[in-house]
Amino acid sequence: MNDADAFEGIRPYTDAEMPAVIARLLADRAFLDAVIRFRFPGPSRWAPGPLRWFVARYLGWRAKRLRTIDAFQSSLESWLDHMIETTSDGFSWSGIDRVRPGRAYLFVSNHRDIAMDSALMNYVLHAEGRGTSRVAIGDNLLRQPFAAELMRLNKSFVVRRSVKGIRDQLAAFTLTSRYLHHSIAEGVSVWIAQREGRAKDGRDLTEPAIVKMFQVSQRKSGRPFGEIIADLHLLPVAVSYELDPCDTMKAHELAVRAATGTYAKPEDEDLRSIVRGITGEKGRVHLSFGEELVAPGDDADAVAAAIDRQIHAGFRLFPTHLDAYRRLGGQVPEALEREVGPLSDAIGALFAARLDALPVAERPWLLAQYAAPVAFRLGVPPPSGSEAVDVG
């Protein structure tokens, strides 16, 4: 089987496929209903039919001007500008000079938000003339067919995480690995999270299993592990939010897991997380590019540790992180206090409101999310939400 056939079910859509994909979306009632619930939450309950008709025709009109995937992505720029302006107190970035124009990278990022982490990085790459990257997404996020259509239209490719059985899991890992190497060889960068799922506890730690996946398709080549990994031009990326729009949802899940040993995710929770991540208040946001790992290491643990060092160093600490660390009993050095600055009254009020909205037992879990990056910066163990601490 050649690469074109092997990647058919996971790769992003092409320019030639775009018109058919858009036609399927505009005929998909679930997609149209999702749009009107998001855009017109009140009227969607009493006039879904007319709104569905209006949205389909409006989007069809807009789509006629979009003939390429790049044009589709460029059309999202004004929307991202509006989102940054209305839901944040500013978006900044650093280290873009380390991203060489014309070179394809495997950007390995910490993962806090389902949609925004990769979207913000691609926003920066586009703004700085570097070209946007493909985005690895888990098939767990694609329960609705329209979600898969939209994501693959936006240069995403599918990582098959839901397969069962060791043989099928190895085949899925190998296919993803092949696609990563294929994309880099084509000259197209890729964004991938450092772990499966978001760091809901705030602990940005790379899973060695992810690193092993990077090279599994090349394991029979006889080449050294580090040489295979170096071919991918790994470049760590750190994104930080002064306020995480999904922090209370994450705290609730962690508290339930700690109390019962399990958590039954509602079917629409991922979609609600995506919407809240986009529309929720974020405070300041910063994205930092690290340096390419030219000598990444001889095994998965060494590579994971090298990625972690750069992500922890590049993570921009905000006053909410220091406030949470103090509330959990930590001592913040004066030098770090001066570097980060004081907590503003407005952000402090929003942060306090989020804590107050949670049951008392869940509040330490929210604080632990924000406190963990401070602990990593100080080189001490991060606090756990299960610790009995007065968080009033």
Side-chain angles (χ1 to χ4, degrees):
M1 180 184 294
N2 61 35
D3 284 347
D5 293 333
F7 302 145
E8 183 66 23
I10 68 167
R11 62 167 176 78
Y13 288 127
T14 65
D15 293 343
E17 293 168 316
M18 186 174 167
V21 176
I22 290 176
R24 289 196 297 269
L25 284 169
L26 296 180
D28 189 320
R29 180 167 178 160
F31 166 67
L32 296 173
D33 285 346
V35 172
I36 65 174
R37 283 197 304 270
F38 174 66
R39 185 64 182 84
F40 309 104
S44 67
R45 289 192 288 269
W46 52 264
L51 283 172
R52 203 178 294 126
W53 180 90
F54 168 77
V55 167
R57 276 143 190 82
Y58 174 74
L59 293 178
W61 172 76
R62 288 287 302 271
K64 287 180 180 178
R65 298 180 293 172
L66 306 176
R67 302 189 182 278
T68 66
I69 300 299
D70 285 342
F72 173 75
Q73 288 200 313
S74 293
S75 74
L76 301 177
E77 184 178 9
S78 61
W79 173 81
L80 278 167
D81 285 335
H82 178 73
M83 182 278 301
I84 291 169
E85 181 179 350
T86 57
T87 71
S88 80
D89 293 331
F91 173 44
S92 59
W93 55 86
S94 59
I96 188 63
D97 55 303
R98 298 167 181 159
V99 181
R100 287 171 46 186
R103 165 163 283 190
Y105 295 93
L106 178 58
F107 295 108
V108 184
S109 172
N110 67 331
H111 193 23
R112 297 304 184 89
D113 187 273
I114 292 174
M116 294 312 304
D117 297 343
S118 58
L120 289 170
M121 190 197 76
N122 272 333
Y123 178 91
V124 175
L125 292 176
H126 176 74
E128 296 283 357
R130 299 300 199 274
T132 58
S133 75
R134 291 169 179 163
V135 174
I137 57 167
D139 59 0
N140 57 300
L141 300 176
L142 306 177
R143 295 172 184 171
Q144 287 279 7
F146 74 78
E149 300 274 54
L150 278 174
M151 299 299 272
R152 293 177 68 189
L153 195 61
N154 196 29
K155 292 180 73 171
S156 295
F157 67 95
V158 181
V159 177
R160 292 172 176 162
R161 292 177 177 161
S162 60
V163 294
K164 305 298 182 183
I166 294 177
R167 180 175 297 179
D168 288 342
Q169 289 175 346
L170 178 59
F173 260 47
T174 302
L175 182 62
T176 301
S177 175
R178 282 179 61 192
Y179 190 75
L180 293 177
H181 285 270
H182 168 80
S183 187
I184 299 302
E186 273 194 322
V188 183
S189 295
V190 174
W191 177 97
I192 194 167
Q194 67 179 159
R195 55 185 289 170
E196 184 175 329
R198 291 168 291 163
K200 296 172 184 174
D201 58 3
R203 302 183 183 195
D204 297 316
L205 296 170
T206 304
E207 291 178 347
I210 296 291
V211 178
K212 290 178 182 178
M213 182 267 289
F214 294 163
Q215 63 84 42
V216 69
S217 66
Q218 312 293 313
R219 67 191 185 283
K220 295 181 180 179
S221 68
R223 299 166 62 208
F225 179 93
E227 183 179 306
I228 293 172
I229 296 297
D231 285 347
L232 294 171
H233 305 299
L234 267 63
L235 196 151
V237 175
V239 59
S240 54
Y241 302 84
E242 191 168 19
L243 291 171
D244 181 341
C246 297
D247 51 12
T248 57
M249 297 174 69
K250 294 175 183 178
H252 173 70
E253 176 180 340
L254 292 171
V256 170
R257 284 187 185 278
T260 68
T262 187
Y263 177 76
K265 181 188 290 187
E267 187 171 338
D268 68 339
E269 184 166 300
D270 285 334
L271 182 58
R272 288 191 292 113
S273 293
I274 290 172
V275 172
R276 186 177 292 188
I278 294 170
T279 62
E281 175 59 49
K282 303 169 184 62
R284 289 171 290 175
V285 183
H286 185 80
L287 186 139
S288 171
F289 293 96
E291 296 182 355
E292 180 185 343
L293 301 181
V294 293
D298 295 328
D299 57 43
D301 289 334
V303 174
I307 294 169
D308 290 347
R309 283 193 294 272
Q310 290 208 34
I311 287 177
H312 296 160
F315 188 97
R316 173 71 59 86
L317 292 174
F318 290 113
T320 46
H321 299 111
L322 302 191
D323 184 50
Y325 189 72
R326 282 191 297 265
R327 286 174 181 258
L328 289 176
Q331 299 295 315
V332 180
E334 290 185 9
L336 189 57
E337 292 271 13
R338 291 193 297 271
E339 174 191 333
V340 174
L343 183 67
S344 72
D345 291 342
I347 294 297
L350 289 170
F351 193 48
R354 294 187 184 186
L355 276 172
D356 291 343
L358 286 172
V360 171
E362 295 182 9
R363 294 174 188 175
W365 294 99
L366 183 144
L367 292 174
Q369 298 170 41
Y370 288 88
V374 182
F376 285 129
R377 179 68 62 84
L378 299 177
V380 300
S384 168
S386 62
E387 298 168 359
V389 178
D390 179 9
V391 297

